Amino acid sequence: MNRLMGWLLLIFVVSIAGFLSVFLYVMNDLNHFENTEMPQIETKQEVKKVAVQFDDSVFSLMNKTADEVKELLGEPARKDKTVYRYTWWIYDEEDTYMQIGILDDQVETIYAAGEQLDSNPISIGDPYDKLVEEFLIEDKVTYETGISHYTFILNDEDLQASPLVQLDDNLFVQCYIDTFTQKVSSLRIITGDLLISQRFYEMEYRGTLPEEVVLSEKEWQEVQSGMEKQIFDITNVFRKRHELPLLNYDDVVSEVAYLHSKDMYDQQYFSHESKDGKGLKDRIEAKNVYYVGAGENIAAQHSDALAAMQGWLNSEGHRETMLNDQYNYLGVGVHRLYYTQNFIFKH
């Protein structure tokens, strides 16, 4: 019996040894397979950098860095300085027109006017009634920062033409309404600090106001030039929206417009007729401009070109001039905060 048990134990040990030998051989072969290097193919192709995710709404651009904006949208058509320290990056295709305000390498404000832009939750072309239904539209909107407290007070005209929506503690939307169609014509997305600086509305506050930026003459010229281009661009955005022919820029007529804006500023008046009694016809003919018809829009003391454009859009006479299908040339002149558009019809 003991001899039988011995043989059984021997057979068991031999079987285990055999199994272990096979197991170790297989594992060694697998390890050899996993560590075998695959043939390498040389290439000059670089690894493509993953783009910043863009959710297609212009609101997602707020607070992004300048580099992130450039990666998402490409280089802007130009960069326009402002009197409020930030720089507008201009993306000037009519259907997707927008201006990105960069301050200290970060997006602090956005102006959106292109109808094909995704600006969810508020879209260009939304009815005013929809805006009122979906958002809290009030005549007093409050912004707090630190121990400072600011209340923006909207009058009846503000509530109808440029209601202010607060989406977050430091995120506001100035909704520009076309009061003739009762639809959203454009949006200005803006932080509380810039809202205070630009002073679109009457304001009550406890705290301090930002110091006014003092510009040199050269800096003013750069700001004015940028606003002239913005007025020209946005005029064509509005004309395309109304299925009207786009306007050509006229340098000579722009000089006429600029000189009138400067004269109004220097002489401190606001009128289509100069203090010497001369009107648009006289000013154009003095520059030897050949034309068949002409029209003029003027504005003053708007905080910037965008606000001036909205004012013209919602004024019946100015609107008719801006959306006249006969005009084919436009000259724009801005001096300080005086704005002039001269529309020309040439054969």
Coordinates of all heavy atoms in Angstrom, one line a residue, residues 80-83 213-227 336:
D80 N -8.8 97.0 -34.6 CA -9.2 98.5 -34.4 C -9.0 98.8 -32.9 O -9.6 98.2 -32.0 CB -10.6 98.7 -34.8 CG -10.8 98.5 -36.3 OD1 -9.8 98.5 -37.0 OD2 -11.9 98.4 -36.8
K81 N -8.3 99.9 -32.6 CA -8.2 100.4 -31.2 C -9.5 101.1 -30.8 O -10.3 101.6 -31.7 CB -7.0 101.3 -31.1 CG -5.7 100.6 -31.2 CD -4.5 101.6 -31.0 CE -3.2 100.9 -31.0 NZ -2.0 101.8 -30.7
T82 N -9.7 101.1 -29.5 CA -10.9 101.8 -29.0 C -10.5 102.8 -27.9 O -9.3 102.8 -27.5 CB -11.9 100.9 -28.4 OG1 -11.4 100.4 -27.1 CG2 -12.2 99.7 -29.3
V83 N -11.4 103.7 -27.5 CA -11.1 104.6 -26.4 C -11.3 104.0 -25.0 O -11.1 104.6 -24.0 CB -12.0 105.9 -26.5 CG1 -11.8 106.6 -27.8 CG2 -13.5 105.5 -26.4
V213 N -9.8 107.3 -20.1 CA -8.6 107.1 -20.8 C -8.3 108.4 -21.6 O -9.2 108.9 -22.4 CB -8.6 105.9 -21.7 CG1 -7.3 105.7 -22.5 CG2 -8.9 104.6 -20.9
V214 N -7.1 108.9 -21.5 CA -6.7 110.1 -22.2 C -5.9 109.6 -23.4 O -4.8 109.0 -23.3 CB -5.9 111.1 -21.4 CG1 -5.5 112.3 -22.2 CG2 -6.7 111.5 -20.2
L215 N -6.3 110.0 -24.6 CA -5.6 109.6 -25.9 C -4.8 110.7 -26.5 O -5.2 111.9 -26.4 CB -6.6 109.1 -26.9 CG -7.5 107.9 -26.5 CD1 -8.4 107.5 -27.7 CD2 -6.7 106.7 -26.0
S216 N -3.7 110.4 -27.1 CA -3.0 111.4 -27.8 C -3.7 111.6 -29.2 O -4.6 110.8 -29.6 CB -1.5 110.9 -28.1 OG -1.6 109.7 -29.0
E217 N -3.2 112.6 -29.9 CA -3.9 112.9 -31.2 C -3.7 111.7 -32.1 O -4.6 111.3 -32.9 CB -3.2 114.2 -31.8 CG -3.9 114.6 -33.2 CD -5.3 114.8 -33.1 OE1 -5.8 115.4 -32.0 OE2 -6.1 114.5 -34.0
K218 N -2.5 111.1 -32.1 CA -2.2 109.9 -33.0 C -3.1 108.8 -32.6 O -3.7 108.1 -33.5 CB -0.8 109.5 -32.8 CG -0.3 108.4 -33.7 CD 1.2 108.1 -33.6 CE 1.6 106.9 -34.5 NZ 0.9 105.6 -34.2
E219 N -3.3 108.5 -31.3 CA -4.2 107.5 -30.9 C -5.6 107.7 -31.3 O -6.3 106.8 -31.7 CB -4.1 107.3 -29.4 CG -2.7 106.7 -28.9 CD -2.6 106.7 -27.4 OE1 -3.1 107.7 -26.8 OE2 -1.9 105.8 -26.9
W220 N -6.1 109.0 -31.2 CA -7.4 109.3 -31.6 C -7.6 109.0 -33.1 O -8.6 108.5 -33.5 CB -7.7 110.8 -31.3 CG -8.5 111.0 -30.0 CD1 -8.0 111.7 -28.9 CD2 -9.8 110.6 -29.7 NE1 -9.0 111.7 -28.0 CE2 -10.1 111.0 -28.4 CE3 -10.7 109.8 -30.4 CZ2 -11.3 110.7 -27.8 CZ3 -12.0 109.5 -29.8 CH2 -12.2 110.0 -28.5
Q221 N -6.6 109.3 -33.9 CA -6.7 109.1 -35.3 C -6.9 107.6 -35.6 O -7.6 107.2 -36.5 CB -5.4 109.7 -36.0 CG -5.4 111.2 -36.1 CD -4.1 111.7 -36.6 OE1 -3.2 110.9 -37.1 NE2 -3.9 113.0 -36.6
E222 N -6.2 106.8 -34.9 CA -6.3 105.3 -35.1 C -7.7 104.9 -34.7 O -8.3 104.0 -35.3 CB -5.2 104.6 -34.2 CG -3.8 104.8 -34.7 CD -2.7 104.2 -33.8 OE1 -3.1 103.9 -32.7 OE2 -1.6 104.1 -34.2
V223 N -8.2 105.4 -33.5 CA -9.5 105.0 -33.1 C -10.6 105.4 -34.1 O -11.5 104.7 -34.5 CB -9.8 105.6 -31.7 CG1 -11.3 105.4 -31.3 CG2 -8.9 105.0 -30.6
Q224 N -10.5 106.7 -34.6 CA -11.4 107.2 -35.5 C -11.4 106.4 -36.8 O -12.5 106.1 -37.4 CB -11.1 108.7 -35.8 CG -11.4 109.6 -34.6 CD -10.7 110.9 -34.7 OE1 -10.7 111.7 -33.7 NE2 -10.0 111.2 -35.8
S225 N -10.2 106.1 -37.3 CA -10.1 105.3 -38.5 C -10.8 103.9 -38.4 O -11.5 103.5 -39.3 CB -8.6 105.1 -38.9 OG -8.5 104.3 -40.0
G226 N -10.6 103.3 -37.2 CA -11.3 102.0 -37.0 C -12.8 102.1 -37.0 O -13.5 101.3 -37.5
M227 N -13.3 103.2 -36.3 CA -14.8 103.4 -36.2 C -15.3 103.7 -37.6 O -16.5 103.2 -37.9 CB -15.1 104.5 -35.2 CG -14.9 104.1 -33.8 SD -15.7 105.1 -32.6 CE -14.8 106.6 -32.7
R336 N -13.5 112.4 -33.1 CA -13.9 112.2 -31.7 C -15.2 111.3 -31.7 O -15.2 110.3 -32.2 CB -14.0 113.5 -31.0 CG -12.7 114.3 -30.9 CD -11.5 113.5 -30.3 NE -10.4 114.4 -30.1 CZ -9.3 114.5 -31.0 NH1 -9.3 113.8 -32.1 NH2 -8.3 115.3 -30.7

